[in-house]
Amino acid sequence: MIFGGILGHSGLPLPLVEGCIGLSVVIMSLAVAAGVNLPTIAAMALVSLFAIFHGHAHGSESAELSSFLPYAAGFVIATTVLHFPGSVSD
């Protein structure tokens, strides 16, 4: 997300951002519902690809801000907090 956020904040266009974000929700939801168990490297690659688009959307929203760093820190911390419960095992 950080890389995508920097791209978006810099104004570098990335095609189909909204569509890829929507697609990520569908694909990841179906994968969880179906119990898909990808190899770690494949799962990391898929999540990283989708994270670029999510980060780009956040970075594009911050283009008019005077300081990108506090905004970026906020969305990185929020992402970490949202992902933490899923990483904790019984």
Side-chain angles (χ1 to χ4, degrees):
M1 279 192 54
I2 294 168
F3 179 67
I6 291 168
L7 293 177
H9 183 74
S10 300
L12 186 71
L14 190 61
L16 306 171
V17 170
E18 292 85 6
C20 286
I21 292 171
L23 185 64
S24 74
V25 172
V26 172
I27 289 175
M28 300 303 273
S29 297
L30 289 174
V32 169
V36 174
N37 190 11
L38 293 175
T40 302
I41 195 75
M44 289 172 59
L46 185 63
V47 170
S48 296
L49 175 67
F50 289 143
I52 291 171
F53 289 97
H54 284 261
H56 189 279
H58 287 294
S60 296
E61 294 168 350
S62 72
E64 66 275 351
L65 297 177
S66 59
S67 180
F68 177 63
L69 191 57
Y71 179 81
F75 81 70
V76 169
I77 291 168
T79 300
T80 302
V81 169
L82 288 169
H83 285 86
F84 182 73
S87 67
V88 177
S89 59
D90 296 339

